[in-house]
Amino acid sequence: MSIINVKDPTYDLWYTSPAAEWNTALPVGNGRMGAMIFGEPANELLQLNEDSIWSGNFRNRNNPKAYDNLEKIRRLINEEKTTEAEQLCADAFYGTNENQRHYQPLGDLHIWQNVGEISDYERGLSLKNAVAHATFRSEGVTYTREVFASHLDECIIVRFTADKKGSISFTAAIDGRDDNYDKNEAYDDKTILFTVSDGIPYACAITVTAVGGECSTDANRLVCKNADEAMLIIAAQTSWRSGDYEKLCISQAKRAARMTADRLIKRHTDDYSSLFDRCSLSIAPVNGESISRPTDERLNAVKENNTQDNELISLYFNFSRYLMIAGSRAGTLPLNLQGIWNKDMWPAWGGKYTVNINTEMNYWGAEIQNLSDCHTPLFDHIERMRENGRVTARSMYHCGGTVCHHNTDIWGDTAPQDKWLPGTLWPMGMAWLCTHIWEHYLFTGNKDFLAEKFDTLCESAEFFADFLTEDEKGRLVTNPSVSPENTYYAKNGRTGTLCKGPSMDSQILYVLFTAVINSSAILGEKADFADKLRSMRDRLPKPEIGKYGQIMEWAEDYDEVEPGHRHISQLYALYPAHIISPAKTPDTAKAARATLERRLSHGGGHTGWSRAWIINMWARLLDGEKVGENVQALLAHSTSINMFDMHPPFQIDGNFGGGAGIAEALLQSRYDGVSGTAEIEFLPALPPLWKRGNAKGFKARGGFETDFEWTDGSLAYADVTSLCGNRLSVRAAGNITAICGDMEIKLTENNGAFEFDTECGKKYRISAN
């Protein structure tokens, strides 16, 4: 059973040569295990990962000097004695060990296949089936290798087929760790076992099966000779999940080996398709013809000639959904900086969870792309962080609640990470992560989920109820803090990073406090605490406009040392929050535009994830032309030929942020969780060259699912299914009509939008004339 399909330019990555290096290999994953596949005919390499293989156990890194110096550092910041404040920070507020634990690879699986001279080579990745393949001819025989990662069977499977019986012969072995392994040996005559005890101990079992021919082990190698077809089955487990991880991974490999390849593939594709088929996007080509060139050629045409390739944009969007399913499933760890794919013993930035934007960006598209299930590992990790965050809150600040700084790791470490002033002492990581709990509720309307997570929201807010201080204007501000990773010129000419009340902090707290206040009303719990937060929310600094017409990044109108900085933190209020909008806050929306233009004019957007954030911001400013320009720039300057986002180096957040931005250009929604009326706007920031297309399964806040098409830049129709029965307000160019079944719905016009009541489970056909 081969599942290679006729190439579809919006669903298939394909190439006519093997991968030259890691950044051109193709990824597969089952949420927990991942592999990068190079596709060499005679010397295949699968670089393997498992999401809980990290460098060691939990460390208590909270600095015991912090609280005794808290008021002193606040006083120095108030007096703009930035040098002295930063010296004190280095002594009293940095973690007692600089680094949290970091992500590590599992190992490299080499497959030496007995083939001769090669012709007719092709490799690819089907997004519809989540199967990578390499196919080639040698000495009159056509060979195919298919690789897939089964979530149901918790294995990665390599299937070998050929169009001539008895043609498949290969040897396979695993290595690739820089440290020592404990075992790399035959477990029995069909299985090898690889174990490592450094860091978090783990085991990997690889077994071989075949139809026809012979299979055996030879020392630490698997051998297959003269088979009609064959499989390698790779299972891995760690001590983080299981006390008897070695026995468990052997059992999983053996169980899968008892199934046929056809059954394994069907189980895998049925499971994967249940998620992937919920949503899709197809943007019609500009020239009206399907582009059938290899993916690297198409991407190079964008890079070198600025070619417009709408199907490549659709592919990028659909690839972001593929990566989400491949890297984040129920029961797994959340996506880290590399997702789950990493080749280095010490990856860039430790391959950790950087929570001053990157981890959050990984999940920006989860809800709108109808992958709420894949969001759950992030919520699980917030709970993992919660107890550690309580310890950090009490030991460093003598505050209640829970807190995290700008990084965390597999253990949910919440102490300051690094000895790097622009990033280290930022206490907003837990707060930002908790806003994802609220977003999940807004999209799903799941009150059981909200009730389960309400105490977590409250604990995050409780920290700031204790931590905030009053500034000279009577506002409540964070102190000490930073505007993530950026540096300013103080009034005295000194450069500084530590500050009080950076704009992003107040914006995050506005969203967090609102989430608690509205959740309290929905659930009927903790009304007194909600009232307290309501009065505190009123005293938070609002977005202010500075001397360049920009949104101020700090509480004072400082100049940036890097005007083109990759972080644009002061525009959190624009995206992912809904505090700034052209309709409701036109003056600050104008200032947000000026902020973006200023950043870009000084070289901003030079990292993949930053460009992805910019796409979302232009979408919120309803500027389709700028959305199109920046999607084009993301492809041209920050995308490897395997479609991975490049910081550089590889960082997966840009893939997810870019996918979210494409969706945001096509559909935007607002809902406060309590009013009962949700708003959907169709095609709010459609780029001029995206003239025709269709989207399926896009989710909207308030509990709605939408399928829609557009022609000549205008909405043709939208089918909207109400999942919660909320009242709906629709915005789109033209006159809106709505039909449910055969009945036309009476609409109420309200400030340019058209409103109507909906019933849970009913579908409504929206037309715009």
Side-chain angles (χ1 to χ4, degrees):
M1 172 185 174
S2 177
I3 61 172
I4 298 173
N5 295 323
V6 176
K7 289 179 284 293
D8 183 329
T10 64
Y11 288 104
D12 287 298
L13 289 73
W14 69 282
Y15 310 85
T16 56
S17 61
E21 45 94 20
W22 192 91
N23 286 309
T24 59
L26 293 173
V28 298
N30 63 12
R32 184 174 63 81
M33 294 179 66
M36 294 294 288
I37 304 148
F38 286 65
E40 283 283 356
N43 186 6
E44 176 65 290
L45 171 62
L46 271 67
Q47 185 271 307
L48 301 171
N49 291 102
E50 201 276 353
D51 68 354
S52 60
I53 297 176
W54 287 62
S55 59
N57 293 324
F58 178 73
R59 293 166 166 163
N60 180 3
R61 302 169 43 259
N62 295 298
N63 195 322
K65 297 180 181 180
Y67 179 71
D68 290 341
N69 288 281
L70 180 58
E71 290 308 316
K72 184 176 180 180
I73 202 170
R74 283 173 167 168
R75 185 172 64 253
L76 290 170
I77 289 170
N78 287 335
E79 294 171 359
E80 278 201 347
K81 295 180 178 178
T82 54
T83 302
E84 294 88 339
E86 290 168 1
Q87 289 171 345
L88 180 58
C89 176
D91 176 57
F93 287 86
Y94 286 161
T96 51
N97 186 296
E98 177 179 351
N99 287 305
Q100 298 166 342
R101 297 304 189 180
H102 60 273
Y103 190 45
Q104 294 184 326
L106 188 161
D108 294 339
L109 176 63
H110 295 273
I111 304 169
W112 299 280
Q113 190 163 352
N114 186 14
V115 294
E117 186 174 342
I118 302 301
S119 65
D120 302 322
Y121 178 88
E122 181 186 305
R123 68 183 174 103
L125 173 64
S126 166
L127 303 186
K128 288 182 177 178
N129 298 307
V131 177
H133 78 273
T135 182
F136 50 88
R137 285 185 62 77
S138 178
E139 299 177 349
V141 180
T142 298
Y143 295 89
T144 299
R145 282 199 300 264
E146 292 167 316
V147 185
F148 58 97
S150 171
H151 176 70
L152 285 180
D153 293 307
E154 297 195 64
C155 295
I156 294 173
I157 293 107
V158 186
R159 184 187 189 189
F160 303 78
T161 56
D163 63 359
K164 181 181 178 182
K165 290 188 175 183
S167 299
I168 297 170
S169 297
F170 61 82
T171 302
I174 186 170
D175 61 14
R177 287 280 296 202
D178 292 344
D179 53 3
N180 296 320
Y181 58 81
D182 299 293
K183 296 178 184 176
N184 190 358
E185 61 193 26
Y187 174 79
D188 59 26
D189 64 344
K190 298 288 193 300
T191 304
I192 56 174
L193 182 66
F194 180 70
T195 67
V196 174
S197 59
D198 290 350
I200 294 177
Y202 68 92
C204 176
I206 307 173
T207 192
V208 62
T209 69
V211 176
E214 299 177 357
C215 294
S216 63
T217 52
D218 177 9
N220 65 340
R221 299 181 300 170
L222 293 164
V223 180
C224 178
K225 294 181 179 179
N226 306 321
D228 301 337
E229 65 175 85
M231 286 193 297
L232 287 172
I233 298 168
I234 309 153
Q237 287 289 343
T238 76
S239 65
W240 192 79
R241 286 194 170 90
S242 171
D244 200 347
Y245 55 92
E246 186 174 312
K247 180 178 179 181
L248 179 58
C249 83
I250 292 168
S251 172
Q252 288 174 334
K254 293 288 188 182
R255 185 177 65 245
R258 290 193 289 271
M259 291 186 241
T260 66
D262 286 354
R263 176 163 172 73
L264 286 167
I265 288 177
K266 186 176 189 311
R267 282 168 56 82
H268 159 67
T269 54
D270 287 351
D271 168 69
Y272 170 80
S273 298
S274 70
L275 293 170
F276 188 78
D277 289 352
R278 293 177 184 175
C279 175
S280 65
L281 173 65
S282 178
I283 307 172
V286 176
N287 59 10
E289 297 177 359
S290 177
I291 299 169
S292 57
R293 289 179 296 168
T295 305
D296 52 342
E297 292 183 16
R298 294 168 63 190
L299 191 59
N300 286 333
V302 174
K303 293 176 184 292
E304 296 168 8
N305 305 318
N306 198 31
T307 300
Q308 181 73 24
D309 187 342
N310 285 347
E311 289 179 323
L312 192 65
I313 295 167
S314 302
L315 179 65
Y316 194 97
F317 174 86
N318 292 315
F319 185 56
S320 74
R321 299 189 299 114
Y322 168 82
L323 292 175
M324 176 67 69
I325 300 167
S328 186
R329 299 290 294 270
T332 72
L333 284 159
L335 297 149
N336 64 45
L337 283 172
Q338 278 72 37
I340 55 173
W341 298 277
N342 160 51
K343 63 182 174 60
D344 298 315
M345 290 294 289
W346 194 292
W349 304 284
K352 296 187 293 294
Y353 304 105
T354 302
V355 293
N356 66 8
I357 186 171
N358 311 95
T359 302
E360 292 88 350
M361 183 179 286
N362 283 349
Y363 289 94
W364 281 355
E367 300 294 337
I368 193 170
Q369 292 177 343
N370 214 333
L371 291 174
S372 292
D373 319 53
C374 296
H375 211 163
T376 57
L378 185 65
F379 307 137
D380 295 341
H381 200 66
I382 291 170
E383 297 304 319
R384 214 169 279 127
M385 297 164 63
R386 194 172 164 190
E387 177 57 36
N388 296 330
R390 292 170 185 152
V391 174
T392 298
R394 284 152 184 73
S395 65
M396 288 187 64
Y397 303 106
H398 282 207
C399 291
T402 185
V403 67
C404 178
H405 295 83
H406 91 298
N407 262 264
T408 187
D409 65 6
I410 186 173
W411 303 105
D413 190 338
T414 55
Q417 158 69 21
D418 296 328
K419 294 182 177 179
W420 186 52
L421 281 167
T424 298
L425 198 59
W426 186 70
M428 306 302 299
M430 179 69 82
W432 192 347
L433 288 173
C434 283
T435 65
H436 280 248
I437 293 172
W438 181 237
E439 279 289 287
H440 182 74
Y441 171 74
L442 292 181
F443 274 92
T444 64
N446 186 336
K447 289 186 180 180
D448 291 339
F449 169 83
L450 186 63
E452 178 188 336
K453 300 300 182 185
F454 182 54
D455 284 346
T456 306
L457 286 173
C458 290
E459 265 199 88
S460 181
E462 182 186 347
F463 171 80
F464 294 98
D466 291 344
F467 178 75
L468 294 178
T469 63
E470 187 175 293
D471 71 1
E472 65 280 359
K473 298 178 183 178
R475 303 176 302 182
L476 295 178
V477 297
T478 53
N479 186 7
S481 189
V482 298
S483 186
E485 304 187 21
N486 209 353
T487 304
Y488 61 84
Y489 288 113
K491 295 175 184 176
N492 59 17
R494 294 180 177 181
T495 62
T497 53
L498 288 181
C499 64
K500 62 182 177 183
S503 298
M504 182 189 234
D505 289 13
S506 302
Q507 295 166 13
I508 290 173
L509 289 179
Y510 186 92
V511 175
L512 177 65
F513 287 4
T514 300
V516 175
I517 292 164
N518 290 0
S519 297
S520 172
I522 293 164
L523 299 172
E525 296 183 23
K526 298 190 178 182
D528 290 346
F529 185 55
D531 288 341
K532 178 180 180 179
L533 292 183
R534 190 176 288 107
S535 64
M536 294 183 74
R537 185 181 64 179
D538 292 342
R539 296 178 62 193
L540 294 171
K542 309 298 189 293
E544 292 187 69
I545 300 173
K547 57 180 174 286
Y548 300 111
Q550 90 290 4
I551 299 293
M552 287 165 47
E553 185 163 355
W554 292 274
E556 301 292 335
D557 196 7
Y558 296 135
D559 279 332
E560 313 99 319
V561 173
E562 293 182 66
H565 200 271
R566 60 195 174 277
H567 283 259
I568 316 175
S569 301
Q570 65 271 43
L571 294 190
Y572 173 93
L574 177 65
Y575 187 96
H578 284 89
I579 299 168
I580 295 174
S581 74
K584 296 190 176 181
T585 61
D587 291 340
T588 50
K590 181 180 177 182
R593 172 179 286 273
T595 307
L596 274 178
E597 290 171 343
R598 176 174 165 80
R599 274 289 203 270
L600 288 167
S601 70
H602 287 87
H606 51 279
T607 70
W609 64 263
S610 180
R611 182 69 67 178
W613 195 2
I614 288 166
I615 292 167
N616 284 279
M617 291 174 181
W618 283 124
R620 285 283 173 87
L621 290 172
L622 311 182
D623 193 326
E625 186 170 349
K626 291 294 187 184
V627 168
E629 289 174 7
N630 283 273
V631 170
Q632 194 80 345
L634 181 67
L635 294 172
H637 306 301
S638 300
T639 304
S640 180
I641 66 166
N642 67 352
M643 300 298 283
F644 266 173
D645 169 68
M646 299 299 289
H647 181 281
F650 163 61
Q651 220 177 265
I652 204 165
D653 40 24
N655 284 109
F656 298 117
I662 292 166
E664 198 72 17
L666 301 173
L667 182 78
Q668 292 182 22
S669 61
R670 295 174 71 100
Y671 182 55
D672 65 10
V674 293
S675 69
T677 300
E679 179 179 300
I680 295 177
E681 184 168 5
F682 291 100
L683 310 179
L686 186 71
L689 293 176
W690 302 6
K691 294 184 182 298
R692 294 186 297 110
N694 65 79
K696 171 191 171 186
F698 279 40
K699 296 290 287 293
R701 293 171 184 84
F704 295 93
E705 185 171 327
T706 66
D707 301 343
F708 56 96
E709 291 188 6
W710 69 95
T711 305
D712 295 326
S714 298
L715 183 69
Y717 76 88
D719 287 332
V720 180
T721 301
S722 177
L723 304 177
C724 297
N726 287 317
R727 185 171 173 83
L728 178 62
S729 173
V730 175
R731 290 183 183 274
N735 295 317
I736 303 294
T737 59
I739 297 173
C740 182
D742 296 328
M743 183 179 298
E744 185 168 346
I745 305 299
K746 183 177 180 180
L747 304 178
T748 302
E749 186 172 0
N750 184 2
N751 196 27
F754 295 86
E755 296 183 2
F756 58 97
D757 292 325
T758 72
E759 292 183 43
C760 186
K762 292 289 183 69
K763 181 183 290 188
Y764 301 84
R765 170 62 63 98
I766 307 296
S767 300
N769 301 313

